[in-house]
Amino acid sequence: MAIPASVFDTQIEQWRRDEDLPWWRIKRRQVQVNLARHLVGRKMRILDAGGGNGLDSLPLAEQGHHAVIVDYSQAMLADAHTRAGSAGLLDRIELKQADVAGIGDLFPDESFDAVLCHNVIQYMPAAYDQLTLLSSLARLLKPDGVLSLVSMNRFSAVYAELFLRGSPTAALRQIDTDTVQGLMFDAPMLIHSAQEACDMLEAAGLVVAADYGLLCVTPYWGDNAAKHDPAVYEQLEALELALSDKLPYKVLARHYQVMARRD
């Protein structure tokens, strides 16, 4: 990974405060709804690669699946352990401290029914490293296994600079670029469009099943104070769930989620 684990360790308190913001709660809700469309049938063994404190995999453990969270941040994994203990889920999770860049060496091939790779690849320094990781994750999937990829959408960068940060000049610079400066960890991120992510997944040997937009309109609309109002939040969540699989809205979403399958 391009960012040292110590950076994630020192930012854990900020991360925990931010995760309860309305837009992040809506995003997590969208992710879980999309996963439910593809993780059907039997109870699964799920790998959460770079899963941090387990925000996306612990809900799956609550549903009866077994989750293995791999992350190189000790603080993030400690928080995942605390959350799992509070929810009575310690028998359904495993925690492994390791860099996801070497995740292919941690498990035998075809070890998992499903893999989550959420908010990870944008922190890898080059497209080669991203493809290498996705290829490793593909090998860890059982036949017909499912991979969920979530990352920031390159096409959203112009809108973020203009609507979120108020800078037309910065927005102009973002046109046709694939690098943005992350705010929380103050580090460059290498980002792609959903279609470019689909191309990478296919190059890794997977078959794309669907792609979704996450936060299609919420980041670009209104003032943030209004989004904390429960009634407004409920309306925004319903709107985002309705837009996530529809064109043209999903193309300009702040993030994307691509579901792929090992054929």
Side-chain angles (χ1 to χ4, degrees), residues 175-218:
I175 297 175
D176 297 327
T177 65
D178 59 5
T179 303
V180 298
Q181 189 71 15
L183 295 181
M184 177 173 290
F185 304 115
D186 191 27
M189 296 189 295
L190 181 61
I191 57 178
H192 308 283
S193 68
Q195 182 57 58
E196 290 163 342
C198 290
D199 293 341
M200 279 200 300
L201 289 166
E202 290 176 351
L206 299 174
V207 177
V208 173
D211 70 275
Y212 304 98
L214 306 175
L215 299 179
C216 295
V217 293
T218 298

Side-chain angles (χ1 to χ4, degrees), residues 31-57:
V31 165
Q32 292 299 319
V33 168
N34 295 336
L35 286 172
R37 294 170 172 167
H38 298 270
L39 303 183
V40 294
R42 67 192 185 283
K43 301 305 180 186
M44 296 183 176
R45 180 173 169 83
I46 298 173
L47 171 63
D48 192 356
N53 59 348
L55 284 178
D56 287 337
S57 52

